[in-house]
Structures are given as C-alpha cells and as structure tokens.
Amino acid sequence: MTGSRRAIAAALAAAILGGWGCRRGEETPYPGPGEKKLNLYIWSEYLPKEVIEEFTRRTGIEIRYDLYDSNEPVLEKLQSGVAAYDLVVPSDYMVRILIQLKLLRPLEKARLKNLGNLDPRFLDKEFDPKNGYSLPYVWGTTGYGYDRQKARRPLESWTPLFDPANRGEILMLDDMRECFAVALKSLGHSLNSTDPAVLKQAADLLKKQKPLVKTYNSGDYENILASGDVEYAHGYNGQLAKLVAKDPSRFAYVLPKEGATIWMDSVCIPARARNVESIYAFLDYILEPEVNARIVNGISYASANVPARPFIRPEILNDPAIYPSEAALARCEFIEDIGDATTILDEYWTEIKAQ
Amino acid sequence: MAGEQRKSGRLAYGLVLPTWLTLGIFFLLPLTILFVISFGQRATYGGLKPIEDLGLYLSSGKFLANYARSLHPIYLQIFWRSLWMAVVTTGLCLVISYPVAYYIAVAAPARRRNLLLGLVVVPFWTSFLIRTYAWMFILRTEGLINHVLLSTGLTSRPLELLYNNFSVLLGLVYGELPFMILPLYASLEKLDLSLLEASADLGAPRRATFWRVTMPMTMPGVVAGIILVFVPSLGQFIVSDLLGGAKTILAGNLIQNQFAVARNKPFGSAVAFELTAAVLALLFLYALYTKRKGQDVLL
Amino acid sequence: MKRGWVLAAHAWLVYIFLYAPIGILVVFSFNRGRQTAVWEGGTLEWYRSLAANDLIQGAVRNSLIVGIVSTVAATIIGTLVALALGRYEFRGTGFTRNLLYLPMIIPEIVLGAALVTFFGVAAMRLSLWTVVIAHIVFSISYVAIVVRARLSGFDRSLEEAALDLGARPLQTFWRVTLPLIAPGIVAGALLAFTISIDDYVITSFVAGVGATTLPLQIYSMLKIGVTPEVNAVSTLLLGVTVVLIVIAQRLQQAPGQRGEAS
C-alpha cells in the first residue's frame, strides 16, 4: 500500500515540477531543435494533401494541422500563449500586429537555401520590413464575381454592388475591413483612411447598400453565386477564379477600376514554436519551385515564387483573376492596421448590421 | 418533492466538494477574470491597455466606460431586438410544444411513450450546425421547397425563404423545441388524470378544464421550459449568422464580434455580463415564484 | 374523438418538422451530385471517401474521447451534488443551486472566452484536456438537474425498509438507492454526452493543436462549401446514436425486478 502511494506521489510531483520547468523554458525562444513534428495553423484549403504527404515521405516529419477561416483566431491563440503551433499563415495586417505584440520568432534566413526563389516585388513590405519575420505564401485580390448572363456586358466597376436595381442579388464578404475597402475605394479614398469624415461617408454608403444585400458570407460565396442565389458576389479571387474556370460562359471575375484590396498571406513562426528544425525543413520545402507550383495549382492562388512559374498550369498563370496585370495591381492596396480607428469602424459596422 | 425529509450532515459537504472545486476553479475564477477585464480598455492592437494610475482610473469613473458605451441607442436597439426574438421564439415553442407533450403524456398509448420521447431527443444527436445547414438547403432559392413549388406550378417565382427574419425564427424554434417538449412532458406525465375526469363530470367544458385545471397543474413544467428556451435564445449567434445571412445583429453576434473581430475583449465582456445580469434578474423572479410554491422545481 | 385526431395530427406534423432536415441529410448523403437539390442518382462514394478522410476520423476520435471522459466525470460530480441537494440540509444549499444554474445561463461565447483567458493566465497549454475540462464544467449542471428530478419522485420507504432490516447505510446506498436512481443517472449521462458531442462555440476557444473535435471539423468543412461527406458523417453518427438509444432502452426494460423502467 505505502509503496504504491509513494510512487503515485512521486509521479505527481514529477509531473507538476516537469510542467513548471516547461513553463519557465517558454519565456525565451526555444533553443533546441525540437522534434520531428510540425504543428501548422493554416487557412482552410491552403495546403494540398499531396504536398503534405510528400513532405512526410521525404523527411519523416509528421505534420499536424488545424484550420482557420479568419485572422482573429490566430491572434487569439498566439496571445493566449498556450497554443503550440510551429507555423501560422496570417494575412498582412495581422503579421504586423503579431510583430508589434512580439508574438513571432525572427527568421534565421541563413538556414533557408531556397530563399532566392522569392519575387522581390513581394518582399520588404510595410507590414514586415526586410521580412524579419515572415515569408510570402500566397497573395491575391478581393474583387467580385458576377453572372454574365444577368449583367449582359463585362463589368469594370464597383457600382453594380450599390445599384438599387440589383436589390437582393448581392453578396458581400462578412468582413468589416473588406466591406469598408469597397466603399472607400468607390468613393475614391485609400482603404486605410482614418479620416473620420471619410469613414462616415463610407459607412453611410454601406448603410444604403444593406437593404440590397442578400447575405454577408465569407465562407462559400462562390457556391452561393453558383447556385443562383445572388448575381454579384464580393469575394477573394482564388475561389471565384475556380468557379469562373468551371463555367466561363456564365461567370466572370472583376478587379474593379476604382481599386481593390490586395492581400498577402505569409508564413510566420510563433515565438513559442518548438520544432525549429522541422520548421526550416518545411519552409525550404515549400520554397522549392515544383512544390510551390503544386500548391498554386492546387489552390488557385498566386505565389511569389519565380522559378515555380514554368511548373504552374498555363490556365492559372494566364488567368487575370489569379495573376492580374501590372496596371491592375497598381490600383490595389494592402489592408493595414488602423490602430484605434478600428473601434470607430467597428461601431459603424455594428450600426450597419443592426439596421 | 413535498414531504422530503432532509438529513443534516457533514456528508453533504463531501458530496458537494467536487462541484465547488471544479466550478470554483474552472468557472467562477475565469469569469471573475473576465469581469475584471470588462472594466479595462482595449489596447491599440487588441489586448489590454495597461492602466497607469489605478486610483485616478477608478475615481474618475473611467472604468465604467464600456458599460456606458453599451447604453448607446445602437446597442440598446440590438438588445431590444434580441429580447424580442427570444420572446417570440419562446412563445412559438410553447404553443407548438404543449400539444405534442400532451399527446405523448396523455393521449398516446402508454407503451409508445418512451419511443415517442426518444424520437424527440434523437435529432439532438446530429450536429446542430449540420441541421442548420440542412435548413439552408431546404429554404434557399434553388432549394428543396422552391424546387417543389416551381416544378408543380404552385408558384411562378421562387419564394424568399432564406436570409430573413422568417428563417432566423425557424432556426431558433427548431433548435429549441426539444428543450420545451421535455419539461412539459415531465410535468404532464405527473398529471393526475382523474382530476380532469372529475372536472368533466362536474360539467366543465373542455376548454375550461384545460385552462383551469391542466394548465395550472403543469405550470412548473411550463416555467421550466420557458427558462430553458428563453435563456439560450438570447445568446444565440450561429443561427442568425447562417440562416439570417449575417444581416441581423443579435446580442450573441455583438459579443462574438467584439471577441473575434473587433478584438475588444473589455467591451465584449461588458456586454456579456449585462446579458448575464438580465438573465439573472429573470432567474431571481423565477426563484421568487418557486419560493411561493414552496420548493425549487429544477434543483 | 375529433379532438384526439387533431392532437395526433399536430404531434406528427411537429415530428415531421423535426426530422425534415435530418431526412434530407441522410438522403443526400447518397446523392451523386454535390450541391444541387436535385437527386442525381445513388452512390456510396461519399461514405468511401469518408474512410479515407483522416481529418474527420481524427475529429471523431477526439470527440469520443472528450465526450466519454467529460461525461463520466460530470456524471459522477453531478450525481453527488444532486444527492446532496436532494437529501441534506446544509449551509450553502442556495449557493450551490445558483452555482449550478450559472453555467446554463452564461452565454457560451462568454464561457469560452473566459476559459481561454484563464488557461493563458494559468499557463496551461491548450490541448484535448482543456476541452475536456471545459466540457465537464458545462455538463455538471445538466446531470444534476436530471438526477435531482429522479430523486424527487423517489420512494423513501424502500430505503427505510432496507435499513430496518439491518443493512448498513453504505450497503443501502449501493444496493437500493443507486439502482433505483440509475435511470436518472443514465439519462443525465446521455444528456451530458449529447451536449458534449455537439458543442462548437466553447470548444472552438479552448481546443489545442490536433484537438479538433467533430463540430469544429464540420464547421470548417461547411465554411468551404458543403460536401456530402459531411452528410455521410452525420448519417453514420445518427445511426450509431439510434442503436445506442435502442440498446439503452432494452437494458432498462430487462429484468422486471429492477424497478421502474423510466
């Protein structure tokens, strides 16, 4: 009796002390190489299965992943300090926030031999100068898809989304910044404006638009467009491009001439990541031209990898929805964090939704 | 429950200790932390703004900023709409469920009772998310109902059944129905049918028997059902997101928005605790009611 | 008699209402097409691709682990407290009751946010076990209510008889009381399990890496577009549940001497 009781007490003590020791170690970047595992936290549909399997086959590193469909859970999980991810793939403005909050581990670029494959046009962006913490994964734009038969002529501008004649036929992303981006761009302003008068104008425009909107949806907008529930669907280019490719006579994607959002999702290493060796092995892997091309081919979003281009399917490479022209890109802006103005926008957004 | 003898004893403390510990550490404590946060301010990137001078912060009343903000008309409008939705949902559930519970408890053959009850519960075991999505499938413009209506020529244009108040109410009622049926059944099952017969024998018309004998005797079940349906309805957000096309903001959406998108935990917590306070007030009234009756109905 | 007909009709209409989406779910899990409301022929391909889908299988496994562990714990804790409230007078009765009501009132999202904040403060890494803890927290109240309801209809004379015949209190508890309230305990456990299996909101806050449960998995699949695979999973889950309930029913009605059946 006493023997086993002591054993249990000892085990308990070891567990608690061991746990304690673990906690201490997490204050500084984990020095060790970590294990042959990789914990990813990534957008749904961003990583084709075969790419993952190939990696595990080559290196023996087991990948576990969790999915998210908006940036905020990334912040939430990393801020809580108790989520154990090795790699996350946040969007541009979120990368900046994570850097400011010291939640990311600096990149040791010397460990990556394929770094040179990246297109310099997508490096050294404002949200992460000199790419101290992130590498571009994929990028895209936010325009809208529409039903060509209903529109009867090619569309170029955001105006149909605000036209009362299209009442009940419009879908908007359920995303505060993206909707305000559309309004601000339509009014000819920067989508990162913090001018209260300008923001009010944009909010009024969105309030006028609301009765025309059938639904706000950030998840399967392309399906709602495809099923005929709406004729105009605000959305990200990749999913809409897939739909257009399936039925080009019926659907089209437009990056309006007033300008739109360009966004970039980048891979970053959380500050408390542990499996460092595995992380760099994976980063080098996805920077390889053929692997990167396989990702692009699989998810229909553009990457920033130059030598990957010959391996990308021509239909994707030549699709202006996925690889837009320079002129079109010049009209686009990245969403940046607007600090305290977020609260103002949030109040407007609440008002708009509460109507 | 009347006439139960209660022993006193230290054994009782041993029995409740696990509950006190579990809920104390993993429920009360986290809520307290959140409550404290509700008096804070959002930092520029989400998170909490550090407070330089605590004394000044408290005395100037700034710590109440979030609660003050929640009293703006725009938010009051949201609370009102949520309240209204919850009331309508509860009312509809009650009206729909009572006859069903009555049928199972009184009218149906006794051997079928468990089966019928089980049938009420079984839908629970499929994911709520999926059932909600199934409704979208049924209600959308090219969905099942419109498909049938159009192909049989009953209507010439598809009906707008989705992304509006109708679909939201439908989703809410649908999700809460079992929570109303079960307590009603529990009450009705204990009903002494001989009382109903006596009433009829004394010449009372059926309607009078129902309102003056059946209803009052099943009141505990009705009240329990109302609470079990009304409370969750107030905090719902998934239904209005999916079936409502994210076009309506209810209290639950507001809270979720603050936590998930606006990254304003302090304000979100403040609204959350206000919602909780409203419900607690309701429960307090319920407690008064049961005190009159002499015992607690649920616990 | 006319009244009886209306009543039955109403009841059956409500049942149809309850089962309509489920029926659709099941039927379309065999549909060849992906999205449309049009029947395109029967197929088992979605069930086959389920077998190859290890994301879903992992999620099911996680949901089962969480469900079983949290249900067992919550049932024990909840039964104990129900006994205490139903049998004993002690200081703290009111407090305990209110404490038990609270988890049912607090909006799920608040509880989720509170818990994840708490785990952060306590430096507890998010994992499957944080999910288990969260589920135990919100299940206890439901178990307590159900068991308490069972206790209230209890015929004490059987216990007293046992004691009069010389049985010790603990013996009486094990061999008289417990079997008699067993249906209530089972009902409470079933309720707790049901709630745990279907929980999305709270779990989404506190799940760690690789701790994705079925609702989380389904939600992310729904977000990218409904595939009939989701239907297939639900149908299977439904089938298993029905079988379990039927078995539970049979067990309860087995040897007649075991007391009331429900």
Side-chain angles (χ1 to χ4, degrees), chain C residues 136-198:
Chain C
I136 294 177
V137 166
F138 61 67
S139 299
I140 295 178
S141 312
Y142 293 100
V143 174
I145 289 184
V146 174
V147 177
R148 178 77 182 88
R150 179 74 185 165
L151 270 177
S152 72
F154 197 69
D155 186 359
R156 289 313 231 17
S157 58
L158 285 165
E159 279 185 332
E160 282 156 27
L163 288 169
D164 285 342
L165 287 169
R168 283 169 287 130
L170 197 62
Q171 252 184 338
T172 313
F173 178 74
W174 268 115
R175 310 189 85 195
V176 180
T177 318
L178 207 54
L180 282 173
I181 58 173
I185 299 182
V186 170
L190 274 180
L191 187 59
F193 190 69
T194 307
I195 297 179
S196 166
I197 288 280
D198 201 20

Side-chain angles (χ1 to χ4, degrees), chain B residues 137-140 142-149, chain C residues 24 28 37-38:
Chain B
F137 189 70
I138 299 177
L139 296 172
R140 68 191 335 165
E142 285 187 5
L144 205 65
I145 292 189
N146 277 321
H147 194 76
V148 165
L149 287 177
Chain C
I24 308 278
F28 279 85
V38 179

Side-chain angles (χ1 to χ4, degrees), chain B residues 127-277:
Chain B
S127 161
F128 174 67
L129 288 171
I130 300 187
R131 281 180 288 147
T132 310
Y133 245 92
W135 275 114
M136 294 176 74
F137 189 70
I138 299 177
L139 296 172
R140 68 191 335 165
T141 313
E142 285 187 5
L144 205 65
I145 292 189
N146 277 321
H147 194 76
V148 165
L149 287 177
L150 285 173
S151 53
T152 56
L154 279 171
T155 53
S156 52
R157 304 191 66 222
L159 294 177
E160 294 283 331
L161 295 169
L162 191 55
Y163 304 130
N164 51 28
N165 279 336
F166 167 73
S167 52
V168 174
L169 265 180
L170 186 115
L172 285 174
V173 168
Y174 180 79
E176 302 293 343
L177 222 45
F179 285 106
M180 183 64 88
I181 296 181
L182 290 178
L184 284 178
Y185 167 80
S187 238
L188 280 162
E189 194 224 0
K190 294 197 197 128
L191 197 61
D192 189 352
L193 290 176
S194 57
L195 287 172
L196 297 184
E197 284 172 18
S199 164
D201 286 344
L202 288 169
R206 275 198 308 247
R207 186 170 299 178
T209 308
F210 177 74
W211 285 109
R212 308 188 86 194
V213 182
T214 319
M215 241 332 208
M217 297 219 67
T218 54
M219 210 30 107
V222 171
V223 173
I226 289 180
I227 296 205
L228 283 177
V229 170
F230 186 73
V231 171
S233 301
L234 276 181
Q236 260 281 10
F237 66 94
I238 292 184
V239 172
S240 80
D241 245 358
L242 292 180
L243 287 174
K247 284 198 291 189
T248 0
I249 276 207
L250 299 177
N253 301 98
L254 178 62
I255 299 175
Q256 199 243 5
N257 218 1
Q258 293 307 311
F259 277 107
V261 181
R263 285 177 273 125
N264 194 337
K265 260 198 211 163
F267 184 56
S269 313
V271 175
F273 279 105
E274 282 176 352
L275 187 67
T276 313

Side-chain angles (χ1 to χ4, degrees), chain C residues 39-55:
Chain C
W39 180 253
E40 288 179 24
T43 173
L44 281 178
E45 68 174 284
W46 309 114
Y47 288 91
R48 264 180 266 135
S49 70
L50 250 194
N53 189 333
D54 25 60
L55 273 183

Side-chain angles (χ1 to χ4, degrees), chain A residues 72 75 210 216 227 229 347 353, chain B residues 69 141-142 245-247 260:
Chain A
E72 278 65 28
L75 180 60
K210 191 180 176 211
Y216 292 89
S227 71
D229 269 317
E347 289 217 354
K353 285 292 201 88
Chain B
R69 181 175 167 209
T141 313
E142 285 187 5
K247 284 198 291 189

Side-chain angles (χ1 to χ4, degrees), chain A residues 70 72-73 75-76 79 93-94 96-97 100-101 168 174 176 210-211 213-217 220 223-224 226-229 250 337-340 342-343 346-347 349-355, chain B residues 42-49 69 72 74-75 77-78 81 133 136 140-143 157 160 162-164 241-242 244-249 254 257-265 267:
Chain A
S70 68
E72 278 65 28
L75 180 60
E76 186 79 51
Q79 254 182 335
Y93 72 96
M94 185 51 77
R96 178 145 191 267
I97 296 176
Q100 300 273 11
L101 292 175
D174 193 9
M176 174 175 84
K210 191 180 176 211
V213 175
K214 188 163 204 185
T215 175
Y216 292 89
N217 186 308
D220 60 342
N223 291 327
I224 299 184
S227 71
D229 269 317
R250 188 156 169 225
D337 188 63
I338 48 177
D340 290 321
T342 311
T343 316
D346 169 61
E347 289 217 354
W349 187 239
T350 309
E351 280 174 36
I352 294 166
K353 285 292 201 88
Q355 266 186 181
Chain B
R42 177 189 186 273
T44 319
Y45 296 110
L48 277 182
K49 196 186 255 179
R69 181 175 167 209
H72 279 180
I74 185 72
Y75 299 115
Q77 186 191 7
I78 295 177
R81 185 179 291 145
Y133 245 92
M136 294 176 74
R140 68 191 335 165
T141 313
E142 285 187 5
R157 304 191 66 222
E160 294 283 331
L162 191 55
Y163 304 130
N164 51 28
D241 245 358
L242 292 180
K247 284 198 291 189
T248 0
I249 276 207
L254 178 62
N257 218 1
Q258 293 307 311
F259 277 107
V261 181
R263 285 177 273 125
N264 194 337
K265 260 198 211 163
F267 184 56

Side-chain angles (χ1 to χ4, degrees), chain C:
Chain C
M1 279 306 110
K2 195 169 86 172
R3 225 279 184 101
W5 175 86
V6 171
L7 200 60
H10 172 98
W12 287 109
L13 274 178
V14 172
Y15 275 108
I16 293 177
F17 177 60
L18 275 179
Y19 280 88
I22 299 178
I24 308 278
L25 211 62
V26 173
V27 165
F28 279 85
S29 71
F30 297 106
N31 188 13
R32 202 173 298 263
R34 271 187 142 235
Q35 268 275 62
T36 52
V38 179
W39 180 253
E40 288 179 24
T43 173
L44 281 178
E45 68 174 284
W46 309 114
Y47 288 91
R48 264 180 266 135
S49 70
L50 250 194
N53 189 333
D54 25 60
L55 273 183
I56 289 191
Q57 288 174 12
V60 170
R61 202 190 51 222
N62 285 338
S63 276
L64 285 178
I65 295 177
V66 169
I68 294 176
V69 175
S70 68
T71 299
V72 168
T75 306
I76 295 177
I77 301 178
T79 305
L80 292 179
V81 76
L83 283 170
L85 285 173
R87 294 296 184 78
Y88 299 91
E89 281 295 332
F90 58 99
R91 274 192 318 166
T93 313
F95 167 72
T96 310
R97 256 195 219 120
N98 292 325
L99 184 61
L100 284 169
Y101 282 141
L102 277 181
M104 297 192 294
I105 308 173
I106 305 277
E108 292 200 289
I109 191 168
V110 178
L111 192 49
L115 278 172
V116 77
T117 313
F118 169 74
F119 288 135
V121 164
M124 283 176 73
R125 169 163 292 168
L126 293 183
S127 63
L128 203 58
W129 303 109
T130 46
V131 180
V132 171
I133 292 176
H135 283 222
I136 294 177
V137 166
F138 61 67
S139 299
I140 295 178
S141 312
Y142 293 100
V143 174
I145 289 184
V146 174
V147 177
R148 178 77 182 88
R150 179 74 185 165
L151 270 177
S152 72
F154 197 69
D155 186 359
R156 289 313 231 17
S157 58
L158 285 165
E159 279 185 332
E160 282 156 27
L163 288 169
D164 285 342
L165 287 169
R168 283 169 287 130
L170 197 62
Q171 252 184 338
T172 313
F173 178 74
W174 268 115
R175 310 189 85 195
V176 180
T177 318
L178 207 54
L180 282 173
I181 58 173
I185 299 182
V186 170
L190 274 180
L191 187 59
F193 190 69
T194 307
I195 297 179
S196 166
I197 288 280
D198 201 20
D199 181 69
Y200 169 72
V201 179
I202 299 184
T203 312
S204 68
F205 277 96
V206 297
V209 190
T212 308
T213 57
L214 198 55
L216 295 194
Q217 183 60 35
I218 290 176
Y219 188 73
S220 67
M221 286 171 83
L222 288 179
K223 273 273 161 142
I224 19 181
V226 193
T227 34
E229 265 183 26
V230 169
N231 292 32
V233 139
S234 308
T235 309
L236 283 178
L237 208 61
L238 185 65
V240 167
T241 313
V242 169
V243 168
L244 280 180
I245 291 190
V246 168
I247 294 181
Q249 269 289 83
R250 291 289 160 82
L251 283 178
Q252 277 188 13
Q253 282 165 357
Q257 305 101 305
R258 280 283 185 85
E260 298 171 1
S262 62

